[in-house]
Amino acid sequence: MHKALRILLFICFTWTIYGQQQPAELDTIVLNADRLLVPFSKTQTTTTLTDSISKRQSALLTDLLRFNSTIFFKENSRGGVSSPSFRGTTAQQTAVIWNGININSQLNGQTDFNTLNTRNFEEITVRYGGGSVIYGSGAIGGTIHLNDKIEFKNQFSNELFGNIGSFNTQDYGYKTSYANSKLYAGIAVSRQSSDNDYTYDFRGQERTNLNGQFDNFSVNSQLGYKLNNYHTFKYYNYFFDGSRNFSLINPSEIPSKYEDYNTRNLLEWEFKKKAVTSVLRAAYLTERYRFYGNVDRDSYSSGNSQSWIGNYQFNLKINTNTQARFVADLNHTSGAGSNLENRDRTIGSFSFLLNQRLNKWYYEIGSRLETTKDYDSPLLFNVGISYRLFDFYTININGSRNYRIPTFNDLYWIGAGNSELNPEQSYQLEMGHSFDFENSNFKITGFYYDISNMIRWVPNSSAIWRPINTDQVVSYGLEFQANYITRWNNINFKLNGNYAYTNSTNRLTDKQLIYVPYHKATNSFHINFKPSANKLHEINTYVQTMYVGEVFFQSDNNPEAVLDSYLVSNLGMEFLPRKNWTIGLRVLNLFKVNYQSVNNRFMPGINYNFYLNLNF
């Protein structure tokens, strides 16, 4: 009864901020690098998290999204392996998009969100719902977009960021950019490390998180040259080198560690004249990992892949309200590893996209056809309609067919790979209702997914684990988003809220999927004070809360195999003694909640960090 009351009170608090406006921090900005995101996502929900929000979280992308979205993350301890569940789907069914390029691993089909440093990117956007027509494999539950900007205007800027905190956590970053009317050059360098030796309560005993240390280094750079009014050349580069030890459940376990080394390169040539835009893009991506089963030994297993991507986009602006886009894509990937056959595959695709606005009506349609010798790819489609019934009320309907292809591990794992696998398929339908007022906005979205041919590794009659197309999953639910902003004298108030109810069941067993909570809600309350005196330029205070309901960690939904719900709160304060200086203090897990998102993998109790941000 007590637990149900806590859930009810928290949801009621969330409802109090519905019908409110999206604050300036979440404003959507059109990005040059990902030209398809904004014009072809108007009938689906998107939320953009700007730089000011990311600085209030740790540099790990997991921390940013779990407090600012309805995505649930499984974390094998702080900084450990992090896997998302987006609208009840799996980690492999969430695609991560870097400047318009899908960067999910070709080896295991997913992205570990604790290997992405948020300090490197100008904007991070969450796009809810299917996106395979535009972004390809894995874009079933939703997509996460990591974007850079290149702007040709006179500027020279520098930014220095430093963060120190509990468990000897250190997070440093430096950004600089120079530009004029023809040239742009920018670079961001980040490093993060932590001993990660926090304590937690394990069945009434205090334990220390052993072998949990991690460190990473990353560089993100951009170059742009505007040849004339018609031709522009751009280059994007990303480099990540990280090492982390895997936390022990029991002190007697053998300590292990994992090393990641990833590079991404993107070169593009844009021609734009009147109603025609032509963009030729070439990308080269690499990934490499090493797993050390014993940190005291030099022996390891490894895997690597290289991808060469050619992409051509032709956009025709038919009239003021109508545009059509044709996209051709060629992707060649090779992969190898200690337990992986040395193989390669080539995938070609062709997409057609169209959108048009007719008074209060708006629609967008798209289709994608792929060809490869490794599997039979389905014809994908997307149809979205929007109607503005009143000035404050808009209704959106979107339907799509999406997919996920078998990975190199699925197909070519030595002694277990299955070359007969088919892609996972999903039919999806969602309806959204948006209410926009002067100081507030509110959106409610209902969604339904029917997913077939899900790939699972299961033991055969010889007790050998192999991947097969097996599960049929239905996922449905409701999402609420709301924002409010108001001002009283010299004080600004902002309220943001998200809530999701998700039912995701295996149709063969009628059981909820493991690690999919029925309920998740996040809230944040911000107060910005600008005193009239000049002693302090500005003061910000904010509170964040995240509620996650119970989750099953066994597929039979055994009531004894349940992780308890938890409500985690953060408190922060920022001082701006000068216009471009920010000094901040954060108290995380304010009430010292003992919680876990993966069975026996506990997260930290109360902890602190202090940060300084300088712009000059």
Side-chain angles (χ1 to χ4, degrees):
M1 182 65 182
H2 175 66
K3 186 179 295 182
L5 180 61
R6 288 169 54 199
I7 297 174
L8 180 62
L9 290 174
F10 188 74
I11 295 175
C12 288
F13 173 73
T14 305
W15 270 92
T16 64
I17 63 175
Y18 290 165
Q20 303 165 5
Q21 183 179 8
Q22 188 169 341
E25 294 179 299
L26 296 176
D27 287 346
T28 300
I29 298 175
V30 178
L31 302 173
N32 291 331
D34 190 348
R35 292 170 177 81
L36 302 178
L37 174 60
V38 173
F40 295 100
S41 301
K42 297 184 185 300
T43 61
Q44 294 174 258
T45 301
T46 60
T47 301
T48 297
L49 307 173
T50 57
D51 196 48
S52 60
I53 295 179
S54 65
K55 287 184 176 61
R56 292 173 180 172
Q57 310 291 159
S58 82
L60 301 175
L61 182 58
T62 299
D63 288 340
L64 175 66
L65 294 179
R66 68 192 182 114
F67 276 96
N68 293 282
S69 75
T70 56
I71 304 172
F72 171 72
F73 286 92
K74 298 186 300 178
E75 294 181 83
N76 291 325
S77 76
R78 173 179 176 264
V81 175
S82 175
S83 303
S85 176
F86 206 143
R87 287 184 169 178
T89 60
T90 66
Q92 292 90 348
Q93 294 167 346
T94 298
V96 177
I97 312 300
W98 171 73
N99 290 316
I101 302 294
N102 188 327
I103 61 170
N104 275 20
S105 169
Q106 296 294 315
L107 302 179
N108 62 23
Q110 67 182 79
T111 296
D112 188 333
F113 282 63
N114 278 340
T115 65
L116 294 169
N117 192 313
T118 62
R119 307 277 182 247
N120 294 317
F121 307 104
E122 291 293 330
E123 290 183 342
I124 298 172
T125 298
V126 181
R127 183 183 191 268
Y128 293 76
S132 290
V133 167
I134 302 176
Y135 299 111
S137 176
I140 294 178
T143 51
I144 311 298
H145 300 258
L146 313 175
N147 291 301
D148 301 310
K149 290 195 298 182
I150 291 180
E151 297 180 304
F152 296 103
K153 64 180 183 180
N154 293 329
Q155 63 163 311
F156 178 55
S157 63
N158 295 271
E159 181 178 357
L160 185 64
F161 182 86
N163 184 333
I164 58 175
S166 302
F167 328 122
N168 192 28
T169 299
Q170 302 178 50
D171 176 15
Y172 304 110
Y174 173 68
K175 284 184 180 181
T176 184
S177 63
Y178 168 81
N180 55 36
S181 60
K182 286 187 172 293
L183 178 68
Y184 178 93
I187 188 169
V189 180
S190 300
R191 183 183 183 275
Q192 187 184 37
S193 64
S194 178
D195 292 343
N196 213 25
D197 53 352
Y198 56 87
T199 59
Y200 58 90
D201 180 86
F202 183 81
R203 299 173 183 174
Q205 298 180 347
E206 184 178 274
R207 285 190 177 182
T208 300
N209 186 46
L210 301 175
N211 197 56
Q213 60 266 37
F214 63 85
D215 67 85
N216 58 71
F217 175 76
S218 56
V219 179
N220 196 33
S221 59
Q222 310 86 37
L223 288 172
Y225 179 65
K226 190 174 182 180
L227 182 64
N228 52 43
N229 291 333
Y230 307 115
H231 298 274
T232 304
F233 298 90
K234 299 178 183 180
Y235 172 69
Y236 302 88
N237 170 263
Y238 183 77
F239 161 88
F240 178 89
D241 187 9
S243 175
R244 54 187 166 164
N245 291 24
F246 288 158
S247 298
L248 308 181
I249 296 178
N250 297 305
S252 60
E253 293 177 338
I254 298 175
S256 59
K257 72 174 182 179
Y258 196 88
E259 294 179 348
D260 296 276
Y261 180 83
N262 303 316
T263 66
R264 296 162 193 140
N265 300 271
L266 172 63
L267 179 65
E268 68 174 42
W269 166 31
E270 179 186 73
F271 170 79
K272 188 173 184 179
K273 186 175 183 180
K274 294 183 179 179
V276 172
T277 301
S278 171
V279 182
L280 182 62
R281 293 153 60 91
Y284 175 61
L285 314 178
T286 71
E287 61 173 313
R288 186 189 73 192
Y289 76 85
R290 289 180 176 178
F291 173 70
Y292 294 80
N294 188 331
V295 297
D296 298 320
R297 296 182 179 180
D298 294 331
S299 59
Y300 59 84
S301 59
S302 64
N304 66 85
S305 74
Q306 300 85 38
S307 296
W308 295 263
I309 301 171
N311 177 275
Y312 178 71
Q313 301 178 19
F314 179 82
N315 189 78
L316 177 63
K317 191 173 182 180
I318 300 173
N319 56 45
T320 305
N321 297 317
T322 309
Q323 64 174 312
R325 187 162 304 195
F326 304 86
V327 182
D329 192 272
L330 185 65
N331 188 319
H332 178 80
T333 300
S334 59
S338 304
N339 299 299
L340 193 67
E341 298 177 22
N342 191 345
R343 301 294 292 267
D344 59 61
R345 69 180 176 194
T346 301
I347 303 172
S349 68
F350 181 81
S351 303
F352 170 74
L353 305 167
L354 175 73
N355 65 28
Q356 184 178 35
R357 185 170 296 282
L358 301 169
N359 296 321
K360 294 184 177 182
W361 289 92
Y362 169 87
Y363 73 87
E364 55 191 23
I365 60 175
S367 63
R368 179 187 180 106
L369 180 64
E370 278 192 1
T371 178
T372 181
K373 65 181 179 61
D374 295 314
Y375 52 84
D376 295 325
S377 180
L379 175 65
L380 308 177
F381 66 83
N382 178 80
V383 179
I385 300 173
S386 175
Y387 179 65
R388 194 171 187 85
L389 186 60
F390 303 108
D391 289 342
F392 64 89
Y393 171 60
T394 303
I395 183 171
N396 300 299
I397 300 175
N398 186 278
S400 61
R401 185 186 192 186
N402 303 279
Y403 79 132
R404 183 179 79 85
I405 65 176
T407 68
F408 271 65
N409 288 0
D410 294 330
L411 295 169
Y412 311 124
W413 195 264
I414 296 174
N418 182 357
S419 61
E420 303 299 320
L421 289 172
N422 291 314
E424 299 176 350
Q425 296 188 42
S426 171
Y427 288 95
Q428 302 173 218
L429 181 66
E430 63 180 82
M431 176 182 290
H433 304 269
S434 300
F435 301 85
D436 296 282
F437 304 99
E438 182 178 359
N439 295 322
S440 60
N441 72 28
F442 159 61
K443 185 167 187 176
I444 177 172
T445 303
F447 61 86
Y448 177 87
Y449 293 6
D450 189 337
I451 306 172
S452 60
N453 286 335
M454 283 190 67
I455 299 171
R456 288 184 59 205
W457 284 68
V458 297
N460 60 19
S461 58
S462 302
I464 297 175
W465 289 75
R466 297 194 67 197
I468 61 173
N469 294 109
T470 176
D471 281 355
Q472 312 291 312
V473 172
V474 170
S475 179
Y476 61 88
L478 289 173
E479 294 170 340
F480 302 88
Q481 293 185 350
N483 306 280
Y484 174 73
I485 183 171
T486 189
R487 181 181 179 88
W488 180 70
N489 293 332
N490 295 323
I491 306 177
N492 296 316
F493 299 92
K494 297 177 183 178
L495 288 167
N496 308 323
N498 299 280
Y499 168 74
Y501 168 79
T502 305
N503 188 304
S504 187
T505 58
N506 183 329
R507 287 197 301 182
L508 300 179
T509 63
D510 199 30
K511 303 294 184 180
Q512 178 85 343
L513 297 189
I514 62 172
Y515 293 112
V516 176
Y518 287 108
H519 305 280
K520 183 187 176 183
T522 65
N523 287 300
S524 61
F525 175 51
H526 306 259
I527 301 176
N528 170 259
F529 176 56
K530 295 184 177 181
S532 56
N534 293 324
K535 293 182 179 179
L536 286 175
H537 182 263
E538 193 172 330
I539 301 174
N540 295 318
T541 60
Y542 53 92
V543 176
Q544 298 174 313
T545 58
M546 175 185 65
Y547 172 81
V548 176
E550 296 179 341
V551 297
F552 297 104
F553 59 85
Q554 290 184 5
S555 58
D556 62 356
N557 287 186
N558 183 345
E560 301 298 322
V562 173
L563 299 184
D564 291 335
S565 61
Y566 51 87
L567 175 60
V568 179
S569 304
N570 301 331
L571 174 66
M573 179 173 288
E574 294 178 339
F575 300 92
L576 282 71
R578 295 186 179 182
K579 183 178 180 180
N580 296 319
W581 291 24
T582 303
I583 301 172
L585 174 66
R586 301 181 70 227
V587 183
L588 307 177
N589 197 355
L590 181 63
F591 300 108
K592 200 178 180 180
V593 176
N594 194 60
Y595 73 102
Q596 52 188 325
S597 60
V598 174
N599 188 38
N600 292 327
R601 299 290 187 176
F602 288 86
M603 301 295 287
I606 188 170
N607 60 102
Y608 311 86
N609 64 47
F610 170 83
Y611 57 92
L612 174 66
N613 189 68
L614 304 177
N615 290 275
F616 51 95

